[in-house]
Amino acid sequence: MTPELRTPEPRPQQRHARRRRDLWAAAAGLVAVGTAVVLGELTASLVSPTVSPVTAVGGAVIDIVPPGVKEWVISLFGTADKVALLGGMALVIAALAALSGVLEVRRRFAGVVLIAVFGVVGLVAVLSRADLTANGIPVPVLVALVGIALLRWLIRKLLEWQPLETGATVDTAGETGPARRRFLVALGGTAAVAAVVGVLASTLRGAAAVVSDVRSKLVLPAPASPEPPVPAGAEIRLAGLSPLVTPNRQFYRIDTALRVPLVDPQEWSLKVTGMVDREIELDFATLLAKPMTERHVTIACVSNEVGGDLIGNARWLGWPVRELLAMAGPKAGADMVLSRSTDGWTAGTPLEALTDGRDALLVVGMNGEPLPLEHGFPVRMIVPGLYGYVSATKWITELKVTRYADDVAYWTPRGWSERGPIKTSSRIDVPRDGQSVTAGTVVFGGVAWAQHTGIGKVELRINRGDWHQAELAPGISKDTWYQWKLALPLTPGQYEVQVRATALDGVPQVEESAPVAPNGATGYHTVRVDVKS
């Protein structure tokens, strides 16, 4: 009987060497792919500042992720959602890069195939972006080719040191052998190059520097219709209460742009198209020459949970949209204006809301300065009374007069309603939920809003008891939020405190809890306060 031939089991020393080789291969994959990625970002910052492989993939992820996942991410991370996304992407890229090295050292070209897939995904994502320029197309191809070349080179150096082929012995004739030194020099040198390129990619913001410089030198025109004086007593002095006017740096930012679009005002234009008697194109200089209106307007994101902070009040400077539309002459039957951002994002706004006399503006200024880059510089739209997803288009480039039956905006096919009037709501800012306070007179304070309607009263109740009417400060206007406060005597114990608002038209805030989708959250903001003696 012929004995069965078996592959001999690797010796413990050989298994240990193989594991060690895999670790070095993973490091080689990390360095190779990392260098290629940062080189791609540097190249993109020079030739395609608004689109790079990383931001394109991130933008594609934002586009395809189900609305429920988006809302979970926003509720978890708030305005740091993009930082979380970039961090998650970095971890995934690092894991796949390390895997490419291990695959390549075990089976020739296996890691190369994985990097090639990287490149294809990047190319598809770049091609899908609305703000793509021809210069951006070769960048993901460059990233893939550089990553492949570096991986093959580093793995070849590693195999010269630790071949682990059948019948071969590991080059351990001393941990200072020449093959080992060559590999470590190659690995360390490539990592150093990656670090330098990474610093350059993050600091050499060619286009961003130009746009920022133009913005810093921009002198805003004086408003032809200045903001009326803020009513006396509109701002309540109470520690922890949200300021009446939200500073630009604290203003929430929610959009789909992973990298802030960089728009040179000298190259910016706004077109009015669609169902109009006359198509119009407006440049930035012409817009600035128009009679400007300055108004305080509170805007909110539809993703704002009950009691959330995705809302802010600012002083906006801009030209009324109704005047531009009047020049174009909307045709009979039109009922929607599809506004488009430079990055392709769209919002569908009821035509009536842009022509009914409210202060819907093409905004160029925010709180006395040019729009910040991340808030839509050089021009964005603000419409009182509507959630941002149907109105507040940043980096705006087109207004298409159309019909809801003919066009859909970005969020509508993703499960959100066509129209998004802001719901009457209120929030307790102080004391915060879970905060401990001293027994005696406890002062509660917060904000309430019913944009384009105004707030009539705000009430609090303790432990589901009777409602107590709060002191309501006069709002700047019916388009802004109102501050309120109420002092209540409380003895030691645990308390549940709820707030509700009633609009000036007598319609109360909805008590029933509802999620943010499809058209905004409802319910009473509730905090729990621990009163100690």
Side-chain angles (χ1 to χ4, degrees):
M1 186 174 180
T2 305
E4 181 181 356
L5 296 178
R6 295 182 180 179
T7 303
E9 291 289 331
R11 295 187 300 274
Q13 182 184 7
Q14 207 169 16
R15 287 198 300 269
H16 173 72
R18 184 168 295 171
R19 285 195 297 269
R20 185 175 62 172
R21 184 195 63 173
D22 284 348
L23 290 175
W24 283 115
L30 279 170
V31 170
V33 174
T35 303
V37 169
V38 296
L39 179 61
E41 292 301 295
L42 176 61
T43 303
S45 69
L46 298 175
V47 303
S48 177
T50 59
V51 177
S52 74
V54 170
T55 58
V57 171
V61 170
I62 292 174
D63 290 348
I64 64 177
V65 165
V69 176
K70 288 188 179 76
E71 297 312 316
W72 177 79
V73 172
I74 290 174
S75 66
L76 187 62
F77 296 102
T79 55
D81 57 341
K82 293 173 182 61
V83 176
L85 173 60
L86 290 171
M89 287 177 59
L91 290 176
V92 171
I93 291 172
L96 293 176
L99 178 61
S100 72
V102 175
L103 291 176
E104 186 67 22
V105 82
R106 291 185 177 183
R107 186 178 183 86
R108 190 178 182 187
F109 297 127
V112 167
V113 170
L114 183 57
I115 294 179
V117 172
F118 264 113
V120 172
V121 171
L123 180 60
V124 171
V126 165
L127 291 173
S128 70
R129 308 320 295 168
D131 47 344
L132 172 67
T133 63
N135 291 340
I137 297 175
V139 178
V141 178
L142 172 67
V143 171
L145 292 177
V146 170
I148 289 171
L150 287 176
L151 181 66
R152 289 297 306 145
W153 179 59
L154 290 173
I155 294 299
R156 186 169 64 249
K157 294 292 184 183
L158 175 60
L159 290 175
E160 290 174 359
W161 170 31
Q162 296 185 359
L164 280 184
E165 298 168 352
T166 304
T169 58
V170 181
D171 178 16
T172 55
E175 287 297 300
T176 59
R180 176 180 182 275
R181 286 196 298 271
R182 286 193 296 268
F183 169 73
L184 293 180
V185 168
L187 186 69
T190 306
V193 170
V196 172
V197 173
V199 171
L200 290 175
S202 63
T203 57
L204 293 181
R205 303 175 181 267
V210 171
V211 174
S212 295
D213 184 60
V214 171
R215 178 186 175 275
S216 67
K217 295 177 181 177
L218 178 63
V219 178
L220 295 174
S225 175
E227 170 71 43
V230 175
E235 184 161 18
I236 295 174
R237 305 293 181 180
L238 179 62
L241 182 62
S242 300
L244 184 63
V245 178
T246 311
N248 290 355
R249 290 186 177 275
Q250 297 177 19
F251 210 93
Y252 79 95
R253 178 198 165 199
I254 296 293
D255 51 55
T256 61
L258 193 58
R259 171 179 286 174
V260 175
L262 305 172
V263 183
D264 187 339
Q266 296 181 357
E267 299 177 359
W268 176 87
S269 67
L270 174 64
K271 296 180 180 179
V272 183
T273 63
M275 298 174 62
V276 293
D277 295 331
R278 296 164 296 278
E279 291 198 351
I280 294 174
E281 185 167 1
L282 187 74
D283 63 25
F284 192 64
T286 302
L287 175 60
L288 289 182
K290 298 293 184 181
M292 292 283 165
T293 294
E294 188 174 54
R295 293 290 185 270
H296 283 94
V297 177
T298 296
I299 63 172
C301 180
V302 71
S303 298
N304 197 36
E305 300 278 0
V306 172
D309 58 1
L310 300 181
I311 182 170
N313 183 47
R315 178 164 51 93
W316 309 96
L317 177 70
W319 187 43
V321 181
R322 63 178 178 272
E323 296 186 20
L324 177 60
L325 292 176
M327 293 171 58
K331 293 182 177 180
D335 61 4
M336 186 254 273
V337 174
L338 190 73
S339 54
R340 186 178 302 276
S341 168
T342 187
D343 66 349
W345 187 86
T346 54
T349 308
L351 178 60
E352 179 184 6
L354 299 176
T355 56
D356 64 2
R358 74 183 73 189
D359 293 313
L361 302 175
L362 293 171
V363 170
V364 297
M366 182 179 182
N367 288 333
E369 64 179 66
L371 278 173
L373 300 184
E374 64 273 21
H375 288 293
F377 182 81
V379 184
R380 70 173 295 169
M381 192 163 71
I382 293 293
V383 183
L386 299 180
Y387 286 118
Y389 82 104
V390 295
S391 65
T393 305
K394 303 174 184 177
W395 314 287
I396 190 169
T397 60
E398 182 184 7
L399 293 174
K400 180 183 178 183
V401 180
T402 181
R403 302 188 307 166
Y404 280 103
D406 298 333
D407 282 294
V408 294
Y410 181 90
W411 284 113
T412 303
R414 292 170 168 83
W416 298 86
S417 59
E418 286 184 337
R419 303 162 191 259
I422 294 178
K423 292 178 168 62
T424 300
S425 193
S426 53
R427 187 179 75 200
I428 300 172
D429 287 346
V430 290
R432 298 184 307 275
D433 186 31
Q435 183 176 349
S436 296
V437 297
T438 303
T441 299
V442 178
V443 180
F444 294 84
V447 289
W449 57 90
Q451 286 95 321
H452 205 55
T453 302
I455 293 293
K457 65 178 178 179
V458 174
E459 300 167 289
L460 261 70
R461 69 179 178 186
I462 307 295
N463 294 337
R464 309 293 174 112
D466 295 333
W467 288 100
H468 304 272
Q469 187 163 337
E471 174 190 337
L472 183 64
I476 298 177
S477 76
K478 64 182 182 180
D479 291 331
T480 68
W481 60 16
Y482 295 56
Q483 293 183 330
W484 59 266
K485 71 175 181 179
L486 178 63
L488 292 173
L490 296 179
T491 56
Q494 303 264 329
Y495 294 88
E496 177 195 78
V497 185
Q498 293 181 303
V499 62
R500 73 177 181 185
T502 302
L504 277 171
D505 60 7
V507 178
Q509 178 178 341
V510 176
E511 180 178 4
E512 181 183 359
S513 295
V516 294
N519 56 9
T522 60
Y524 294 161
H525 185 213
T526 303
V527 300
R528 288 161 182 81
V529 180
D530 184 13
V531 179
K532 297 183 179 297
S533 57

